[in-house]
Amino acid sequence: MSEGEKSDGISRRGLLVGGGLAGLGVAVGFASAPRDSAPGAVTAADTSTVPFYGLHQAGIATTVQDFLTFAAFDLNETASSTDLRDVLNSWSSAAALMTRGESLGFPTNNYDIPVDSGEAWGRPASALTVTIGYGASLYRDHPQLGLSAPALLKDLPAFTGDDIDATISNGDIAVQVCANDPQVAFHAVHTLARLGSGIVALRYTQLGFGRTSSVNAQQESARNLLGFKDGTNNLRSNAESEFKHHVWVGRDASAPYMVAGTYLIARKIRTRLESWSNAPLSLQEETIGRFKVTGAPLSGTNENDTPDLGALDGSGNQIIPSSAHIRLAAPGSNGGAKILRRGYGFSEGLDATTGEISCGLYFICFTSKPESFIKIQENLALNDALNNYTQHVSSTVIACPGGLSRGFGWGDQLFGR
Ligand code: HEM
């Protein structure tokens, strides 16, 4: 093993990226010490770790953590494929360490710029995951990279009622970072931004809290900001054949690294929370198609009862109304389309026009075919009673490659080695 090479095959040279930390005169020789052994460590909250390496990227079928930091980056116009490869390799090396709850390094003298910015020192891994994906603009706007886009990767079409702000949409590269400690998630994005400085620049970030989904049978449904149980009828990772069909990309001749990958779609959906909260219970329940307290479909009594979309009341009216969210989003209403939802609530100060809390759902889903999301959203955009309370203000789609094996970086994966 050559000097500076770590046991997981990460070389110091590979971490000396463009204008990033190297530009600050810092060699990113990760010290690989547990962060919670740092002086002044806070009480260990969640020491669980999610493996970074594997067939699929972590953060998709992973038990949903409590907090999100989503971030999109744009590549500098003059960046070469070598520049991007180095940044991506440094990112995956750093992500592997951080997800193990390790620091990039503790300061050893007063003169160097600290390699690790330090805000996660003393905090355990907290089930951190870092999931990466590439936007259509990376391929379209940077021909010097010589990359061809995955065949299904296209920016989403405009949907009825959209009010999309391009500055908080899409991006050349994006990461979904999730953890059970918001500061651990923040630190991971901050670290990637520092490592990429000079080659990539942050385009936007989005903080999220309050998971609105569960992805396996063990995890109970949580409540969204509307007060309803969310994620009840989500895809479950235990149903492997459903995941194989609806979430994981099987084969993609245009981009071999997409095998076992997926597409992430994010939509920032603002919610008029006061109008919603002041609506009568029956109207709220008819809008969703489920009972608020139990989460059961209006046609049933328990949360996990299958919604009976054909059920009629004594007067012959549909029990789950024609404009109910769960009727319109159901696979049966969308040619069988199913998606894996993994979104978070957000709240960011006040709405300047109404004086109310500015909040909503940062909707995230994973799908093997973006067309599945498009089909469902076209239906919802036209007919969903929930539209009376919501507004879609951002739209992002990225192609998330399959997982990495140890000793292989995201740059190697994208450009081939
Ligand atoms: C602020 C916006 C939204 C809110 C508050 C919301 C809330 C909910 C709730 C409470 C449920 C019922 C529980 C469950 O099965 O998870 C649900 C179901 C669902 N939602 Fe949403 N949702 C929103 C936007 C969307 C969007 C944009 C999509 C996709 C385009 C979507 C797709 C689905 C699907 C597929 C289901 C399951 C339907 C079924 O029973 O088969 N939702 N949502």
Side-chain angles (χ1 to χ4, degrees), residues 273-289:
L273 195 60
E274 285 324 302
S275 315
W276 173 265
S277 304
N278 291 327
L281 180 62
S282 59
L283 181 56
Q284 293 187 16
E285 293 180 333
E286 282 163 15
T287 300
I288 298 292

Side-chain angles (χ1 to χ4, degrees), residues 212-213 221 224-226 228-234 236 267 269-271 288 290 295 303 307 325-332 334 337-339 341 360-361 363 365 372-374 376-378 380 384 386 389-390 392:
T212 61
S213 63
S221 307
N224 59 26
L225 297 187
L226 303 187
F228 273 71
K229 288 193 176 187
D230 209 338
T232 307
N233 225 350
N234 205 6
R236 303 286 158 156
R267 306 275 294 180
I269 308 175
R270 289 197 190 284
T271 307
I288 298 292
R290 288 184 175 272
E303 184 189 346
H325 182 70
I326 65 161
R327 173 185 290 282
L328 295 164
N334 298 291
K338 291 187 184 181
I339 51 178
R341 289 171 286 140
L361 169 68
F363 175 93
C365 75
S372 297
F373 169 85
I374 294 171
I376 300 170
Q377 182 52 27
E378 274 173 347
L380 293 178
D384 190 357
L386 201 51
Y389 308 92
T390 58
H392 289 230

Side-chain angles (χ1 to χ4, degrees), residues 27-307:
V28 190
F30 299 142
S32 187
R35 288 191 306 238
D36 51 5
S37 64
V42 295
T43 313
D46 178 0
T47 54
S48 64
T49 56
V50 180
F52 177 73
Y53 296 105
L55 175 63
H56 306 293
Q57 288 197 66
I60 303 166
T62 305
T63 300
V64 187
Q65 304 94 320
D66 290 336
F67 298 96
L68 165 79
T69 304
F70 193 91
F73 298 84
D74 283 336
L75 183 65
N76 188 325
E77 273 180 11
T78 58
S80 68
S81 52
T82 308
D83 293 334
L84 180 58
R85 177 199 287 264
D86 286 349
V87 167
L88 292 174
N89 283 343
S90 75
W91 280 10
S92 45
S93 301
L97 278 180
M98 293 187 289
T99 53
R100 291 200 298 262
E102 294 175 13
S103 171
L104 274 66
F106 293 111
T108 51
N109 67 64
N110 290 336
Y111 307 105
D112 286 347
I113 296 169
V115 172
D116 192 316
S117 49
E119 67 268 37
W121 286 339
R123 294 172 187 266
S126 310
L128 174 72
T129 55
V130 181
T131 314
I132 198 166
Y134 307 109
S137 59
L138 180 72
Y139 304 88
R140 189 185 58 225
D141 302 342
H142 302 280
Q144 78 277 17
L145 300 176
L147 293 170
S148 43
L152 302 183
L153 179 64
K154 294 185 180 61
D155 291 344
L156 293 176
F159 298 98
T160 305
D162 273 3
D163 184 17
I164 302 299
D165 177 349
T167 64
I168 52 169
S169 298
N170 292 315
D172 292 341
I173 307 170
V175 286
Q176 175 205 250
V177 176
C178 302
N180 289 324
D181 179 334
Q183 193 149 324
V184 167
F186 174 89
H187 169 256
V189 165
H190 181 199
T191 300
L192 301 190
R194 292 183 79 221
L195 287 170
S197 166
I199 305 297
V200 295
L202 273 170
R203 179 179 173 86
Y204 63 88
T205 63
Q206 178 67 52
L207 298 181
F209 65 95
R211 65 177 173 89
T212 61
S213 63
S214 31
V215 301
N216 56 45
Q218 292 78 41
Q219 196 170 26
E220 277 189 25
S221 307
R223 286 187 189 271
N224 59 26
L225 297 187
L226 303 187
F228 273 71
K229 288 193 176 187
D230 209 338
T232 307
N233 225 350
N234 205 6
L235 281 177
R236 303 286 158 156
S237 57
N238 329 37
E240 271 179 40
S241 62
E242 292 228 296
F243 254 61
K244 204 170 159 199
H245 184 65
H246 296 288
V247 180
W248 306 127
V249 172
R251 200 175 308 155
D252 185 343
S254 61
Y257 52 83
M258 285 302 291
V259 173
T262 183
Y263 291 85
L264 178 155
I265 291 165
R267 306 275 294 180
K268 184 169 184 173
I269 308 175
R270 289 197 190 284
T271 307
R272 287 181 272 280
L273 195 60
E274 285 324 302
S275 315
W276 173 265
S277 304
N278 291 327
L281 180 62
S282 59
L283 181 56
Q284 293 187 16
E285 293 180 333
E286 282 163 15
T287 300
I288 298 292
R290 288 184 175 272
F291 292 110
K292 188 163 189 174
V293 175
T294 61
L298 297 183
S299 58
T301 44
N302 297 310
E303 184 189 346
N304 290 314
D305 289 350
T306 304

